[in-house]
């Protein structure tokens, strides 16, 4: 139990520090950062699989069209989530990005209703309603939908739904997703190279090259820590710990990147945090009654 909590906390701490990493790459276009993240993640994961001699699953997956289609969909959702997040960090929207991961659990509940035909308890409906009112308030006071948060919440919620029913574990699943994304990423990098716009080759900064190459372990290690932790601790504990990341990201946006956080915006966040508190309290009460 204690080991599982340690693994999970380390994973969420790593994810919480992601804005610092992507901000350091802020001089690069978000699409180029995304392409390098795909490429270097595949390199790192391939080394891990090679050392563990864990390649036997690949042939079986390629012979199953339904599994292949599921992973194509999950890889596209994952790349969309990565792109929006990278763009948000590098364009001064870290707090908006953190909101996306605050509301993600409620998107998961909604997707369970719409896709898996799960029945929601009254408290869950109330939590979703409160969160929706918070989103409406943020929309009204900003004059537009909080589209960054919504895109991140929807894409990661959809990704989680597909991975929940996937045939592969975390390591193999991410490896296969990056393998599927490899042709797109490699093609884009080749196109940049032909047009003289490949930052990895053109930059005079060796630090920039190391930062790009580090995208592999920076992407994969937190996921492996998370998977190791999730196997050792109850989902209720994991659900509480997951708010470490967006909380850290929000604080970085406020105090490191000095993003605007007005009292009106804070009011919207408070409403959404209240919805999360209600959601967790209702889940705790339901589990107590079941016990």
């Amino acid at each position: 139990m204690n080991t599982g909590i340690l693994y999970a906390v380390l994973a969420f701490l790593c994810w919480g520090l992601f804005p610092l990493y992507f901000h350091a790459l802020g001089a690069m276009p978000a699409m180029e950062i995304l392409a390098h993240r795909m490429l270097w993640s595949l390199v790192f994961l391939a080394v891990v699989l090679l050392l563990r001699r864990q390649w036997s699953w690949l042939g079986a997956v390629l012979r199953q069209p339904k599994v292949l289609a599921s992973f194509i969909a999950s890889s596209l959702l994952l790349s969309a989530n990565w792109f929006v997040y990278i763009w948000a960090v590098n364009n001064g929207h870290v707090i908006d990005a953190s909101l996306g991961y605050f509301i993600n659990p409620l998107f998961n509940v909604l997707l369970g209703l719409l896709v898996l035909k799960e029945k929601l308890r009254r408290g869950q409906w109330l939590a979703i309603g409160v969160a929706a009112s918070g989103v409406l308030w943020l929309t009204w006071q900003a004059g537009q939908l909080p589209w960054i948060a919504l895109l991140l919440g929807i894409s990661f919620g959809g990704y989680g739904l597909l991975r929940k029913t996937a045939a592969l574990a975390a390591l193999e699943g991410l490896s296969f997703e990056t393998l599927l994304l490899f042709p797109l990423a490699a093609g884009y990098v080749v196109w940049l190279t032909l047009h003289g716009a490949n930052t990895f080759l053109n930059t005079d900064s060796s630090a920039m090259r190391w930062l790009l190459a580090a995208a592999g372990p920076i992407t994969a290690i937190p996921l492996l820590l998370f998977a190791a932790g999730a196997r050792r601790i109850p989902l209720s504990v994991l659900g509480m710990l997951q708010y470490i990341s967006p909380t850290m990201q929000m604080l970085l946006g406020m105090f490191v990147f000095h993003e605007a956080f007005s009292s009106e915006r804070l009011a919207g966040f408070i409403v959404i945090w209240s919805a999360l508190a209600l959601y967790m309290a209702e889940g705790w009460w339901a589990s107590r009654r079941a016990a």
Side-chain angles (χ1 to χ4, degrees):
M1 179 74 165
N2 290 336
T3 304
I5 290 175
L6 176 62
Y7 286 150
V9 168
L10 286 174
F12 290 125
L13 287 175
C14 290
W15 284 326
L17 293 171
F18 264 19
L20 296 175
Y21 170 72
F22 290 117
H23 194 265
L25 296 170
M28 293 179 60
M31 187 63 75
E32 187 175 1
I33 298 174
L34 175 63
H36 279 284
R37 189 178 185 186
M38 294 173 184
L39 295 176
W40 292 107
S41 294
L42 180 60
V43 171
F44 177 80
L45 292 166
V47 171
V48 173
L49 290 172
L50 188 62
L51 292 175
R52 298 180 62 171
R53 300 180 180 179
Q54 206 167 323
W55 284 102
S56 58
W57 52 269
L58 183 57
V61 170
L62 292 174
R63 291 192 294 271
Q64 300 178 61
K66 288 185 178 179
V67 176
L68 182 59
S70 172
F71 273 96
I72 290 173
S74 68
S75 65
L76 292 175
L77 282 172
L78 182 63
S79 61
N81 183 269
W82 283 358
F83 174 77
V84 173
Y85 184 81
I86 293 167
W87 184 92
V89 170
N90 289 351
N91 286 273
H93 296 285
V94 174
I95 295 176
D96 291 324
S98 74
L99 177 62
Y101 295 107
F102 275 123
I103 63 178
N104 174 248
L106 298 175
F107 269 115
N108 292 340
V109 174
L110 197 57
L111 284 170
L113 169 71
L114 298 175
V115 179
L116 301 179
K117 307 303 179 183
E118 296 176 352
K119 292 184 178 180
L120 300 189
R121 298 183 293 270
R122 189 175 302 172
Q124 292 175 314
W125 275 115
L126 183 58
I128 290 174
V130 172
S133 67
V135 171
L136 287 173
W137 166 257
L138 290 171
T139 300
W140 181 78
Q141 65 89 23
Q144 62 178 7
L145 278 170
W147 62 271
I148 293 173
L150 293 175
L151 285 175
L152 287 173
I154 292 169
S155 60
F156 200 68
Y159 175 72
L161 179 67
L162 289 172
R163 293 294 282 119
K164 180 179 179 180
T165 56
L168 298 176
L171 174 61
E172 294 86 346
L174 183 62
S175 301
F176 192 48
E177 285 162 351
T178 52
L179 183 63
L180 291 171
L181 293 169
F182 174 79
L184 296 175
Y188 181 66
V189 171
V190 169
W191 183 86
L192 289 174
T193 304
L194 294 175
H195 289 79
N198 187 333
T199 305
F200 187 84
L201 297 178
N202 297 340
T203 183
D204 295 326
S205 171
S206 58
M208 181 68 77
R209 292 193 182 95
W210 281 110
L211 280 172
L212 285 171
I218 284 174
T219 296
I221 289 174
L223 185 79
L224 299 178
L225 286 170
F226 174 80
R231 286 195 296 267
R232 291 171 169 84
I233 60 178
L235 282 177
S236 58
V237 177
L238 194 67
M240 293 290 290
L241 294 176
Q242 73 177 339
Y243 296 109
I244 292 173
S245 298
T247 301
M248 289 177 62
Q249 292 169 17
M250 184 188 71
L251 293 174
L252 285 172
M254 292 172 60
F255 298 113
V256 176
F257 304 122
H258 305 292
E259 294 182 12
F261 198 60
S262 64
S263 57
E264 293 84 2
R265 198 177 188 190
L266 175 61
F269 270 70
I270 289 174
V271 172
I272 290 168
W273 291 332
S274 300
L276 292 172
L278 178 62
Y279 168 71
M280 289 187 289
E282 192 278 338
W284 175 81
W285 177 248
S287 63
R288 283 290 299 272
R289 289 184 63 187

